[in-house]
């Protein structure tokens, strides 16, 4: 069983930086190798979204804090998405639900992963903001750049505010410090900010190889791992 003891901010900062500057796959690799080494992290429903290296190398399953043997026959790959920084694999795993209540270490492990994902998703959302600023600063509408338009500036300002608020809630928090409902709200704020930012990119934001794809997968990560319920 994996026991999580990371209460310093270094891991969370590194996850955020990896997502923002290197991409989703390196950030997921860092999170998995730190919190679930040798295991494939899955949500309580038996779904996973992992970097290709972790998916290929993991010898066991980690399902919302509990460990299980891994059997390839029980897995089905849904998609493989090539992104800047590496490939991300989405899959489902058929496994029996836990038969007993989780212990304190298991609950903390689950809380740590959801907290780490929030930092990863924040970094991705900040990267999307940078992409939006670059795009809007180059595109013209009439005699001005798109970034100079009032509605556009307002949307960017709201994204900045969302990022700052999310960071304020997460800063200094360790596994289990934040109620599950608060973490779920943090993830919902990141999702909302991403959706508004993608709209600023026009059609390019919805292309499979566009800057919006990592944040689409980021939203799927939240759907896989975040329940908003306190672990039992």
């Amino acid at each position: 069983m994996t026991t999580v003891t990371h209460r310093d901010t270094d891991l969370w900062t590194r996850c955020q930086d990896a997502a923002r500057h290197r991409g989703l796959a390196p950030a997921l690799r860092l999170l998995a190798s730190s919190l679930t080494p040798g295991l494939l992290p899955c949500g309580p429903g038996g779904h996973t979204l992992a970097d290709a290296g972790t998916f290929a190398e993991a010898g066991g399953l980690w399902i919302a804090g509990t460990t299980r043997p891994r059997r390839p026959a029980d897995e089905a790959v849904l998609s493989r998405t090539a992104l800047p920084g590496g490939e991300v694999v989405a899959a489902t795993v058929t496994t029996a639900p836990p038969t007993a209540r989780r212990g304190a270490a298991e609950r903390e492990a689950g809380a740590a992963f959801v907290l780490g994902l929030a930092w990863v998703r924040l970094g991705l959302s900040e990267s999307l903001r940078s992409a939006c600023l670059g795009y809007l600063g180059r595109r013209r509408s009439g005699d001005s750049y798109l970034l100079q338009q009032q509605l556009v500036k307002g949307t960017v300002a709201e994204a900045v505010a969302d990022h700052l608020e999310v960071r304020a809630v997460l800063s200094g928090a360790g596994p289990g410090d934040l109620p599950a409902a608060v973490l779920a709200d943090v993830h919902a704020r990141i999702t909302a900010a991403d959706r508004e930012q993608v709209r600023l990119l026009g059609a390019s934001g919805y292309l499979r190889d566009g800057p919006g794809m990592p944040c689409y997968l980021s939203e799927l990560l939240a759907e896989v791992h975040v329940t908003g319920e306190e672990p039992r």
Side-chain angles (χ1 to χ4, degrees):
M1 180 181 301
T2 302
T3 300
V4 179
T5 58
H6 300 280
R7 287 192 168 270
D8 60 284
T9 60
D10 179 63
L11 174 60
W12 314 135
T13 300
R14 289 188 290 124
C15 286
Q16 179 192 11
D17 288 345
R20 183 169 185 175
H21 300 295
R22 296 165 53 201
L24 177 57
L28 290 178
R29 180 75 164 181
L30 173 60
L31 189 66
S33 63
S34 300
L35 299 184
T36 62
L39 302 173
L40 178 64
C42 304
H47 305 286
T48 183
L49 196 66
D51 66 279
T54 296
F55 186 82
E57 299 164 10
L61 301 175
W62 182 94
I63 303 179
T66 62
T67 59
R68 301 287 181 82
R70 187 180 185 188
R71 298 197 310 166
D74 294 336
E75 300 173 13
V77 174
L78 303 177
S79 67
R80 292 181 179 270
T81 306
L83 298 173
E87 185 180 64
V88 173
V89 181
T92 59
V93 178
T94 303
T95 183
T99 57
R101 295 173 65 90
R102 291 187 291 173
E106 294 170 319
R107 291 195 300 271
E108 185 174 352
F113 200 86
V114 174
L115 176 61
L117 277 183
W119 282 105
V120 168
R121 298 191 65 219
L122 175 60
L124 286 175
S125 192
E126 291 170 333
S127 178
L128 179 60
R129 189 181 77 211
S130 297
C132 288
L133 290 175
Y135 173 83
L136 297 168
R138 295 189 302 268
R139 299 284 296 224
R140 299 184 68 91
S141 177
D143 296 332
S144 64
Y145 290 99
L146 290 177
L147 189 56
Q148 296 173 318
Q149 296 184 356
Q150 191 63 36
L151 288 177
V152 172
K153 288 194 294 185
T155 301
V156 172
E158 289 176 3
V160 172
D162 284 334
H163 294 158
L164 291 174
E165 289 181 18
V166 166
R167 182 191 292 269
V169 172
L170 295 178
S171 293
D177 290 346
L178 298 175
V182 172
L183 269 178
D185 181 68
V186 164
H187 281 277
R189 292 291 296 273
I190 295 171
T191 295
D194 285 348
R195 290 180 177 181
E196 289 301 312
Q197 290 183 115
V198 167
R199 291 175 57 192
L200 293 175
L201 295 169
S204 65
Y206 299 94
L207 297 177
R208 185 173 180 85
D209 59 351
M213 178 54 72
C215 288
Y216 166 72
L217 295 177
S218 168
E219 184 173 344
L220 289 184
L221 274 168
E223 293 178 0
V224 166
H225 291 281
V226 182
T227 65
E229 301 176 355
E230 296 296 338
R232 295 179 294 173

